[in-house]
Amino acid sequence: MTGICADRVVVITGAGRGLGRAHALAFAAQGAQVVVNDLGVGLDGAGASAGPAHEVVGEIRALGGQAVADGSDIATPEGARTLIATALDAFGRLDTLVNNAGFLRDRMLVNLDEDEWDAVMRVHLKGHFLPLKYAAAHWRAEAKGGRMPNARVINTSSGAGLLGSVGQGNYSAAKAGILGLTLVAAAELARYGVCVNAIAPAARTRMTEQTFADTMSAPGQPDAFDAMAPDNVSPLVVWLGSAASSGVTGRVFEAEGGRITVMEGWRPGPTADKSARWTPTEAGEAAVKLLAASLTPQPVYGTQ
């Protein structure tokens, strides 16, 4: 198969369903050899099944592509190492890592248990860090061996990580952490030929089906554009994972329907400098003036 990812080897976590599945199929359609990682767990992370990953591999092969399944728990060092080894053993190289795996344990903060906090942090944040760590170690070794990679990492954040989301304190914190990890990784890995970016997608998946339940194509209009289809996000991810995105690193993109937005993150706004220590009253007066001159923050999801 030919395309902008021809002969590239792409690892995608959480690729058995939803966005990950859409990414896997899109990469394969552009010529990539794909490692489909998925534990096949439920929406809350419980249970496990090899079925989803193998089904996606079957779909790719039926279309003439190349893919292998991986059932490693990428939130463990052993699982993350195995994931990277699977790509190298099956295809002899690694070019792109898409960190996508995740699940939900939604609660209002006063009802959020510590184990629900830890579980979401483990899968989303640690589950990004560990595959990135072992992929980066491979690419560093390649670069030091005189084989400079042209590698890509795409991390998956969320609007909840950018703005917050009521009832999702654990998820929002983890997704915000992924943004910080992306910025650090982009700075640290540039010397090894690795570009690292993040997306904040909005699409209809198991994790968002209640939110987007009413956004299907209108009845009687089967050809209408389905703005919430996961497949709409994948073209940007495929481009970011290709050699064509050279020089693009440390950036965050929102992707929803037919819209792509470059997020500009935290930037200094209005400032005041006394060149001496403020009193509390003075600091308060200065803060009020600065707030009046600043942009109004976007609302937290769930407060509108």
Side-chain angles (χ1 to χ4, degrees):
M1 300 176 71
T2 60
I4 66 171
C5 288
D7 300 322
R8 289 182 72 82
V9 175
V10 179
V11 168
I12 306 171
T13 69
R17 302 183 178 98
L19 282 167
R21 172 183 173 274
H23 299 341
L25 293 171
F27 270 108
Q30 289 295 320
Q33 300 163 20
V34 183
V35 178
V36 179
N37 166 265
D38 205 284
L39 285 177
V41 299
L43 182 58
D44 62 353
S49 169
H54 285 281
E55 288 171 9
V56 174
V57 168
E59 290 183 81
I60 291 173
R61 290 178 177 174
L63 295 171
Q66 299 182 61
V68 296
D70 177 88
S72 304
D73 181 353
I74 47 85
T76 67
E78 297 79 10
R81 279 195 296 263
T82 297
L83 174 63
I84 303 308
T86 296
L88 298 176
D89 291 344
F91 301 119
R93 58 185 294 129
L94 172 63
D95 299 291
T96 299
L97 169 65
V98 181
N99 284 316
N100 171 76
F103 62 72
L104 298 176
R105 297 279 178 88
D106 290 355
R107 295 283 188 278
M108 300 298 278
L109 286 172
V110 295
N111 297 320
L112 184 63
D113 292 335
E114 185 178 357
D115 61 345
E116 294 169 326
W117 173 274
D118 290 344
V120 169
M121 287 293 172
R122 175 185 181 274
V123 172
H124 285 275
L125 193 50
K126 194 173 182 180
H128 271 62
F129 159 64
L130 287 173
L132 174 56
K133 170 185 170 69
Y134 291 107
H138 166 71
W139 289 322
R140 181 181 64 175
E142 289 291 287
K144 289 187 173 182
R147 300 173 297 276
M148 183 61 73
N150 192 6
R152 304 287 184 267
V153 177
I154 300 94
N155 292 329
T156 305
S157 184
S158 168
L162 295 165
L163 301 176
S165 179
V166 171
Q168 294 188 311
N170 48 3
Y171 179 75
S172 297
K175 289 303 192 183
I178 288 168
L179 297 174
L181 176 64
T182 298
L183 299 179
V184 172
E188 292 185 356
L189 301 182
R191 70 190 72 179
Y192 305 126
V194 185
C195 294
V196 185
N197 295 285
I199 61 165
R204 185 179 53 256
T205 68
R206 289 191 304 164
M207 292 171 61
T208 62
E209 61 184 355
Q210 293 303 314
T211 303
F212 299 131
D214 298 325
T215 59
M216 299 289 287
S217 297
Q221 300 180 24
D223 296 327
F225 177 53
D226 183 356
M228 288 295 106
D231 312 71
N232 299 328
V233 176
S234 300
L236 174 62
V237 176
V238 170
W239 181 80
L240 288 171
S242 75
S245 63
S246 178
V248 179
T249 194
R251 307 306 295 264
V252 179
F253 298 83
E254 275 194 331
E256 175 184 346
R259 177 176 60 85
I260 296 172
T261 304
V262 177
M263 304 304 292
E264 296 187 332
W266 293 103
R267 290 179 175 272
T271 186
D273 185 355
K274 183 183 176 182
S275 298
R277 181 176 301 148
W278 303 87
T279 67
T281 298
E282 290 173 335
E285 291 171 348
V288 168
K289 292 179 181 178
L290 294 174
L291 289 169
S294 68
L295 297 175
T296 302
Q298 294 293 307
V300 173
Y301 288 113
T303 60
Q304 298 167 299

